[in-house]
Protein backbone atom coordinates (compact mmCIF):
# COMPACT_ATOMS: atom_id res chain seq x y z
CA UNK A 1 0.00 0.00 0.00
CA UNK A 2 1.23 3.46 -0.78
CA UNK A 3 1.11 6.31 1.69
CA UNK A 4 -1.64 8.05 -0.33
CA UNK A 5 -3.83 4.95 -0.22
CA UNK A 6 -3.40 4.63 3.52
CA UNK A 7 -4.31 8.25 4.18
CA UNK A 8 -7.36 8.06 1.87
CA UNK A 9 -8.57 4.96 3.69
CA UNK A 10 -7.93 6.62 7.05
CA UNK A 11 -9.79 9.75 5.90
CA UNK A 12 -12.77 7.61 4.87
CA UNK A 13 -12.73 5.89 8.27
CA UNK A 14 -12.46 9.29 10.01
CA UNK A 15 -15.51 10.53 8.09
CA UNK A 16 -17.46 7.42 9.05
CA UNK A 17 -16.42 7.82 12.68
CA UNK A 18 -17.43 11.50 12.58
CA UNK A 19 -20.84 10.63 11.11
CA UNK A 20 -21.33 7.86 13.66
CA UNK A 21 -20.46 10.39 16.40
CA UNK A 22 -23.07 12.80 14.97
CA UNK A 23 -25.62 9.98 15.08
CA UNK A 24 -24.78 9.19 18.71
CA UNK A 25 -25.07 12.84 19.77
CA UNK A 26 -28.36 13.18 17.88
CA UNK A 27 -29.71 9.97 19.43
CA UNK A 28 -28.91 11.21 22.95
CA UNK A 29 -30.57 14.56 22.22
CA UNK A 30 -33.68 12.92 20.75
CA UNK A 31 -33.96 10.40 23.60
CA UNK A 32 -34.04 13.34 26.02
CA UNK A 33 -36.72 14.99 23.90
CA UNK A 34 -38.84 11.82 23.87
CA UNK A 35 -38.51 11.59 27.67
CA UNK A 36 -39.60 15.21 28.14
CA UNK A 37 -42.56 14.72 25.78
CA UNK A 38 -43.38 11.36 27.46
CA UNK A 39 -43.45 9.62 24.06
CA UNK A 40 -42.34 6.08 23.31
CA UNK A 41 -39.96 5.55 20.45
CA UNK A 42 -36.83 3.69 19.48
CA UNK A 43 -33.92 5.43 17.83
CA UNK A 44 -32.25 3.89 14.80
CA UNK A 45 -28.96 5.31 13.51
CA UNK A 46 -27.32 4.80 10.14
CA UNK A 47 -24.96 6.51 7.73
CA UNK A 48 -26.44 7.20 4.29
CA UNK A 49 -23.89 8.44 1.79
CA UNK A 50 -22.18 11.44 3.31
CA UNK A 51 -24.56 12.13 6.18
CA UNK A 52 -25.78 10.64 9.42
CA UNK A 53 -29.37 9.40 9.36
CA UNK A 54 -31.40 9.05 12.54
CA UNK A 55 -34.93 7.65 12.73
CA UNK A 56 -37.45 7.55 15.55
CA UNK A 57 -39.70 4.52 15.23
CA UNK A 58 -42.39 3.08 17.47
CA UNK A 59 -43.70 -0.42 18.07
CA UNK A 60 -46.99 0.95 19.43
CA UNK A 61 -47.90 2.50 16.11
CA UNK A 62 -46.89 5.92 14.97
CA UNK A 63 -49.95 7.81 16.25
CA UNK A 64 -48.05 9.37 19.18
CA UNK A 65 -45.06 10.14 16.99
CA UNK A 66 -47.29 11.97 14.48
CA UNK A 67 -47.18 14.90 16.91
CA UNK A 68 -43.45 15.09 16.18
CA UNK A 69 -44.05 15.02 12.42
CA UNK A 70 -46.71 17.73 12.34
CA UNK A 71 -48.67 19.01 9.38
CA UNK A 72 -46.73 18.40 6.16
CA UNK A 73 -43.63 17.49 8.20
CA UNK A 74 -43.23 21.01 9.63
CA UNK A 75 -42.46 19.82 13.17
CA UNK A 76 -40.10 17.16 11.78
CA UNK A 77 -38.17 19.86 9.87
CA UNK A 78 -37.90 21.99 13.02
CA UNK A 79 -36.75 19.01 15.11
CA UNK A 80 -34.16 18.15 12.46
CA UNK A 81 -32.75 21.69 12.69
CA UNK A 82 -32.70 21.57 16.50
CA UNK A 83 -30.96 18.19 16.39
CA UNK A 84 -28.39 19.55 13.94
CA UNK A 85 -27.79 22.47 16.33
CA UNK A 86 -27.31 20.05 19.23
CA UNK A 87 -24.72 18.15 17.16
CA UNK A 88 -23.02 21.41 16.17
CA UNK A 89 -22.86 22.49 19.82
CA UNK A 90 -21.05 19.25 20.72
CA UNK A 91 -18.75 18.89 17.71
CA UNK A 92 -18.23 22.46 16.51
CA UNK A 93 -18.96 21.23 12.96
CA UNK A 94 -22.05 21.95 10.86
CA UNK A 95 -24.15 18.80 10.53
CA UNK A 96 -26.13 17.60 7.51
CA UNK A 97 -27.88 14.94 9.59
CA UNK A 98 -31.24 13.68 8.30
CA UNK A 99 -34.04 12.91 10.74
CA UNK A 100 -37.02 10.69 10.01
CA UNK A 101 -39.93 10.11 12.37
CA UNK A 102 -42.43 7.26 12.04
CA UNK A 103 -41.28 6.62 8.46
CA UNK A 104 -42.69 9.97 7.27
CA UNK A 105 -39.60 11.03 5.33
CA UNK A 106 -39.08 7.55 3.80
CA UNK A 107 -42.69 7.50 2.57
CA UNK A 108 -42.35 11.07 1.28
CA UNK A 109 -39.11 10.17 -0.54
CA UNK A 110 -40.90 7.31 -2.32
CA UNK A 111 -43.82 9.56 -3.36
CA UNK A 112 -41.46 12.29 -4.58
CA UNK A 113 -39.34 9.83 -6.58
CA UNK A 114 -42.51 8.70 -8.33
CA UNK A 115 -43.51 12.34 -8.97
CA UNK A 116 -40.07 13.08 -10.44
CA UNK A 117 -40.24 10.04 -12.72
CA UNK A 118 -43.74 11.01 -13.93
CA UNK A 119 -42.66 14.61 -14.58
CA UNK A 120 -39.63 13.34 -16.52
CA UNK A 121 -41.86 11.09 -18.64
CA UNK A 122 -44.24 14.01 -19.27
CA UNK A 123 -41.34 16.29 -20.32
CA UNK A 124 -39.98 13.57 -22.66
CA UNK A 125 -43.39 12.97 -24.26
CA UNK A 126 -44.46 16.61 -24.59
CA UNK A 127 -41.04 18.12 -25.38
CA UNK A 128 -41.95 20.99 -23.02
CA UNK A 129 -40.62 21.90 -19.57
CA UNK A 130 -42.72 20.64 -16.67
CA UNK A 131 -43.08 22.94 -13.63
CA UNK A 132 -43.89 21.37 -10.28
CA UNK A 133 -45.40 22.96 -7.18
CA UNK A 134 -43.18 24.69 -4.59
CA UNK A 135 -41.22 22.28 -2.38
CA UNK A 136 -38.80 22.20 0.51
CA UNK A 137 -35.08 21.72 -0.22
CA UNK A 138 -35.35 18.03 0.79
CA UNK A 139 -38.30 17.48 -1.55
CA UNK A 140 -36.57 19.22 -4.46
CA UNK A 141 -33.40 17.13 -3.95
CA UNK A 142 -35.39 13.88 -4.17
CA UNK A 143 -37.18 15.06 -7.33
CA UNK A 144 -33.90 16.21 -8.94
CA UNK A 145 -32.39 12.76 -8.23
CA UNK A 146 -35.40 10.98 -9.77
CA UNK A 147 -35.28 13.18 -12.88
CA UNK A 148 -31.55 12.54 -13.27
CA UNK A 149 -32.15 8.79 -12.92
CA UNK A 150 -34.69 9.10 -15.76
CA UNK A 151 -31.98 10.63 -17.95
CA UNK A 152 -33.22 14.24 -17.97
CA UNK A 153 -32.13 17.52 -16.41
CA UNK A 154 -33.99 19.67 -13.91
CA UNK A 155 -33.39 22.93 -12.10
CA UNK A 156 -34.90 24.86 -9.22
CA UNK A 157 -36.45 28.26 -9.82
CA UNK A 158 -38.06 30.92 -7.65
CA UNK A 159 -37.35 32.17 -4.14
CA UNK A 160 -37.95 30.34 -0.86
CA UNK A 161 -40.53 29.34 0.22
CA UNK A 162 -41.98 29.31 -3.30
CA UNK A 163 -38.97 27.58 -4.90
CA UNK A 164 -39.97 24.82 -7.34
CA UNK A 165 -38.50 22.26 -9.73
CA UNK A 166 -38.65 22.57 -13.52
CA UNK A 167 -38.04 19.37 -15.46
CA UNK A 168 -36.40 20.10 -18.82
CA UNK A 169 -36.98 18.01 -21.94
CA UNK A 170 -33.96 16.34 -23.55
Amino acid sequence: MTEGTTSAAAEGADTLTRLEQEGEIAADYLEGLLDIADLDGDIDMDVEGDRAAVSIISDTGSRDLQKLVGRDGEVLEALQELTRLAVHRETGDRSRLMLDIAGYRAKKRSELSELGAKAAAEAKNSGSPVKLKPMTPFERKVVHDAVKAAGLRSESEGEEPQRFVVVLPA
Side-chain angles (χ1 to χ4, degrees):
M1 241 191 236
T2 66
E3 187 176 313
T5 308
T6 305
S7 67
E11 188 176 303
D14 288 348
T15 300
L16 189 59
T17 304
R18 183 179 54 78
L19 294 176
E20 289 169 344
Q21 179 189 15
E22 283 187 18
E24 292 288 339
I25 294 166
D28 290 345
Y29 176 78
L30 292 166
E31 282 175 6
L33 182 84
L34 289 173
D35 286 345
I36 290 167
D38 195 29
L39 295 172
D40 288 327
D42 295 320
I43 307 229
D44 183 39
M45 295 177 299
D46 198 5
V47 173
E48 294 177 5
D50 60 348
R51 62 176 62 188
V54 179
S55 300
I56 302 175
I57 52 178
S58 174
D59 293 338
T60 61
S62 57
R63 176 159 293 202
D64 282 347
L65 292 182
Q66 287 305 315
K67 297 172 190 171
L68 298 179
V69 172
R71 185 173 52 97
D72 296 326
E74 290 172 341
V75 176
L76 169 60
E77 290 292 331
L79 288 173
Q80 177 174 277
E81 285 307 310
L82 289 171
T83 305
R84 286 176 173 176
L85 286 172
V87 170
H88 180 264
R89 186 185 67 222
E90 292 288 321
T91 65
D93 295 326
R94 186 174 175 277
S95 173
R96 295 181 59 234
L97 174 132
M98 289 294 290
L99 175 63
D100 192 6
I101 299 174
Y104 175 84
R105 204 177 288 272
K107 181 179 176 212
K108 189 81 170 168
R109 180 177 277 129
S110 175
E111 291 168 357
L112 290 164
S113 291
E114 192 173 311
L115 174 68
K118 284 181 181 175
E122 184 180 333
K124 270 184 189 172
N125 294 337
S126 71
S128 300
V130 175
K131 293 182 180 182
L132 301 176
K133 66 177 180 48
M135 298 178 189
T136 66
F138 161 76
E139 293 169 334
R140 291 193 310 269
K141 168 83 168 91
V142 174
V143 171
H144 285 306
D145 290 347
V147 170
K148 185 177 181 181
L152 291 183
R153 237 176 27 87
S154 58
E155 51 191 43
S156 293
E157 293 183 4
E159 298 293 323
E160 295 292 354
Q162 296 300 312
R163 201 152 164 80
F164 59 94
V165 173
V166 179
V167 180
L168 304 168

